[in-house]
Amino acid sequence: MTNSDHRVQGLDNDAVVADWPAILNQELAWLRGQYSALDEDSHVLWHSPRPFSAAALLAGGSRRCFVKRHHRSVRTAEGLAEEHRFIAHLAAAGLPVVQVLPTREGATAIEHGDWTYELHAEGDGHDLYRDSPSWTPLGDVAQARTAGAMLARLHLASASYHAPQRSAHLLVARDDLIRAHDPLALLGQQLTDRPALASYLARQRWAHDLQRAVLPWHAAVVEQLAAEPVLWGHNDWHVSNLLWHGHGPTATISTVFDFGLASPTSALFDLATAIERNAIAWLDARGGGPVPHADIALALLAGYRQVRPLAAAQVHLLADLLPVVHLDFALSEVEYFQGVTGSPANADVAYHTFLLGHADWFTRRPGRALLDALHAAA
């Protein structure tokens, strides 16, 4: 933890003191000895405002790199290697993904003290949404269509990738509970191995809460979802994780990055997550609450179907997934805030506002209108 003045994006779309200390130039001395890609004059240009790790853009010599540092309780070197192997598969299939740089000994991640590090080459293209917080709705319909098409390309490449489930629950967008016929029973079984989550939920009427807010939506998808093949997805498909060539409606995607939430889920799970991230103004709830952007949702879907066609029944299932697609990840955020950063207030936001609040929003008129628009597109 840190008492520095480094600020990151908070849960209310505000700037808050970072949980993790910023990466400093002094810290780079050790990293230079591990990575041949770093020069003696490598120094920090910019600190990322994302909250779950510390990251910085580095400059030195003729190249720039992006270093990301995780606490070892969140990511081990082997845990990072799970997503790095997926990135390597996508790169071999021709996807424009970020390049993971190896250490001098050939590892793609390295541990040192309490920390785990990864180093990426600077991605090709412009970060058009660098100053936009995660989950800020995409404002350009043409770019939404382009993003949907690129996600479909990723899924075509991912279809030939077969690897087991991620070793971590923390900050990974899994779909274990969504696919389970009895999510409450499965969650109860998981709590033995997830003591921080168990500690938090012991203070909540969690079975009652999920029975009320989540299980009615879950009942509508569980049988149909069983027929959807397991497929590794990006699982955090927001435009702030894409780099672009050009501006405006003719912009093209040049780099895909940030695979930290990637895991084996399904294509529809990944697409539903993209709609949730890009087409609903969750963080701007002034007035009548979060505002849906149906035009962005439909453009993502249209771009996707141009590359990877979906049957009408799959589009209906996509819409029905939206109210529950966040289930596993929201619980992982609760676990992170309770057990890693020791922030009960943030754990409350993850539980009440994210886990329960997002599901409840779809019972209201704006949420229903977005689901109706997607169903009508089938």
Side-chain angles (χ1 to χ4, degrees), residues 198-286:
S199 173
Y200 180 88
L201 292 182
R203 303 193 300 272
Q204 308 295 331
R205 299 174 62 200
W206 64 269
H208 172 271
D209 291 341
L210 294 179
Q211 185 82 41
R212 178 195 64 78
V214 175
L215 292 198
W217 296 113
H218 174 265
V221 304
V222 63
E223 296 299 335
Q224 299 94 316
L225 190 58
E228 285 297 310
V230 173
L231 179 139
W232 272 71
H234 184 280
N235 296 340
D236 192 16
W237 196 257
H238 185 264
V239 287
S240 60
N241 289 329
L242 305 171
L243 300 181
W244 302 76
H245 282 163
H247 296 78
T250 62
T252 59
I253 295 169
S254 52
T255 307
V256 178
F257 63 96
D258 200 349
F259 284 79
L261 275 59
S263 74
T265 52
S266 70
L268 293 185
F269 177 97
D270 208 6
L271 180 55
T273 299
I275 292 171
E276 182 200 37
R277 299 285 196 270
N278 293 281
I280 306 170
W282 296 113
L283 301 181
D284 186 12
R286 292 169 293 183

Side-chain angles (χ1 to χ4, degrees), residues 328-361:
D328 289 77
F329 184 67
L331 287 167
S332 82
E333 279 203 354
V334 172
E335 184 177 9
Y336 170 82
F337 290 124
Q338 175 71 18
V340 178
T341 65
S343 174
N346 282 344
D348 284 342
V349 172
Y351 183 78
H352 293 287
T353 303
F354 185 15
L355 174 60
L356 303 179
H358 282 205
D360 285 340
W361 180 79

Side-chain angles (χ1 to χ4, degrees), residues 90-162:
L90 297 176
L95 266 289
V97 292
V98 66
Q99 180 188 3
V100 182
L101 298 175
T103 67
R104 296 181 188 276
E105 296 183 355
T108 63
I110 191 168
E111 297 173 358
H112 183 61
D114 290 335
W115 308 111
T116 305
Y117 295 85
E118 57 182 320
L119 187 70
H120 299 170
E122 183 183 27
D124 174 43
H126 304 290
D127 193 349
L128 298 182
Y129 294 88
R130 189 173 89 168
D131 296 326
S132 299
S134 296
W135 297 24
T136 299
L138 207 169
D140 190 301
V141 171
Q143 289 179 10
R145 192 175 297 111
T146 299
M150 181 60 75
L151 182 59
R153 284 184 56 196
L154 185 150
H155 290 165
L156 292 177
S158 177
S160 58
Y161 184 73
H162 306 289

Side-chain angles (χ1 to χ4, degrees), residues 15-32:
V16 299
V17 174
D19 288 317
W20 308 115
I23 295 172
L24 302 176
N25 289 328
Q26 303 93 293
E27 190 172 0
L28 298 183
W30 181 81
L31 287 170
R32 291 188 197 103

Side-chain angles (χ1 to χ4, degrees), residues 182 185 207 269 322 372:
D182 189 343
F269 177 97
L322 268 178
D372 288 346

